[in-house]
Amino acid sequence: MILKIKRLHLHSREVQGFKEFLQVIKPSTHKNGFLQEVWQQLFNCLLSKADLPSLINETCSGEENLENLPAPLFEFQMTGQSYSIYNAVYAVAYSLHAAIQSKSLPREIQRVEFLDMQPWQLHNFLQEVSFNNSAGERVFFKDSREGPGGFDIINMITFPNRSFQRVKVGMLHPDAPKGKEVMIENRIFWHPGFNQLLPVSLCNNPCSPGYWKKRAEGRAFCCYDCVPCPEAKISNQTDMDDCFECSQDHYPNKKKKGCILKPVVFLHFKETLGVSLVSAALCFFFLTSWVLGTFIKHMDTPIVKANNWPLTYTLLVSLQLGFLSALLFLSQPGKVTCLLRQPTFGITFSVAISSVLSKTITVVVAFMATRPGSQMRKWLGRRLAFCIVLSCSLFQVCLCILWLLTSPPFPELDMHSEIQEMVLQCNEGSSSFFYCVLGYMGILAIASFIVAFLARKLPDSFNEAKFITFSMLAFCSVWISFFPAYLSTKGKAMVAVEVFSILSSSAALLGCIFLPKCYIIVFRPDLNHREQLRKRN
């Protein structure tokens, strides 16, 4: 006996009564032209009443037995094609029954007679049909209007007399779970020359996780190449058709076989960059405090009196707050932190620059007031300086309040800037308000620079326009370079750029305006006299 798997057949099952029907059907009892023609072809004869011309001399009686035919010529088992037709006929029959018996037909199907029903009127009923056929198998249609499919794996048992028998040994089901599409039944008997392992029909080895199957051009359809997954994609199963991306909060491992949860990071004072920025902010804060203490201690000296000490104290206090505001950027972003850090920075810097602008305008007004008959004397005094600082600062306060009421900043997780990290940062809410705050400070700084530059050569002992000019030049240079650096960075680097700009611009104001005066007060007290100041001018 030779046992061999020949091919796949359309799925079929044994239908009850089919074999008995074939045993009793005969042309003598069933007057059917199709049956008579098939009968003559199977037995190679002519029925006695056939009038067709033929070279065949034998006559059929119509009582021949189909079981006497050899198996290769005629089988008593229902084939897959016949089984599909059998199910299709019953599906149409059930649909017709449902259409005729329905009491809630659509408007276009209004109780038509059976003979007048059009095929398209059965579509809805055919889509919903579901029944068990006589073979015990459920027949239904899927969403794609496809019926139950699959293939039977058939073994052809060939005997010495050239007869054969079809034996179903398994099934190929395309809708089965992955890896279980092929089911081999236990009743298959292998030739003794074969081992007992299931046969493997593969062109190449399976693709391991981290790779995907790519169709091999110019080779058999079952052949493929195993290609490594591209960057940012993985495959975690064998023989995957394509790689896929990890979720936003995960990133692929080195072998691209799985995803790893991204850690949450932010710029804080425990890392090297954060330690450097916090140390610089605290150093400048204490330096500003020392300058403020020095000016308070020597407030009766000519150099302190000549520099409008109320504005000087306001400027120094705002610089202190500016240095401390940088610490808000180096803490964990939260709801309160995000709401406070940009407005605090904007308001304190506006007060500082407004004080510088007020000092410069005071110098110009004081010089003009020295001319005979000048009307500018009525503007002299602390009221002018106070009005300038208050009005310029109040506009920035109103801008920040409007920002917080309409589009307040809030904390968010940036999952795209870094491949292996999630950056916890503050979303500014409205970039327009953010740039308006910076733009307004830029307008104040440019105005201070222009006024100070024009007043740099005024011959007055209390003229500090030269120092203000250099400080504003440094201040504007820092913030002009801030914009391209800020826009070209992401994540923690953006925060570091802004903190660096805050510290460096504040240090420029502190160093250019106050350190020369502190040098005279502390190290050259002999120059801290009105006569010496007049000689220098």
Side-chain angles (χ1 to χ4, degrees), residues 115-135:
L115 296 177
D116 295 333
M117 184 172 292
Q118 299 298 319
W120 60 268
Q121 293 176 303
L122 291 178
H123 287 177
N124 292 333
F125 300 99
L126 194 61
Q127 181 69 25
E128 298 176 359
V129 70
S130 178
F131 63 93
N132 292 331
N133 60 18
S134 58

Side-chain angles (χ1 to χ4, degrees), residues 303 515-525 527-528 536:
I303 196 171
L515 289 187
K517 299 179 179 60
C518 289
Y519 173 77
I520 295 176
I521 295 173
V522 177
F523 299 102
R524 296 296 303 274
L527 298 178
N528 193 5
R536 293 178 59 195

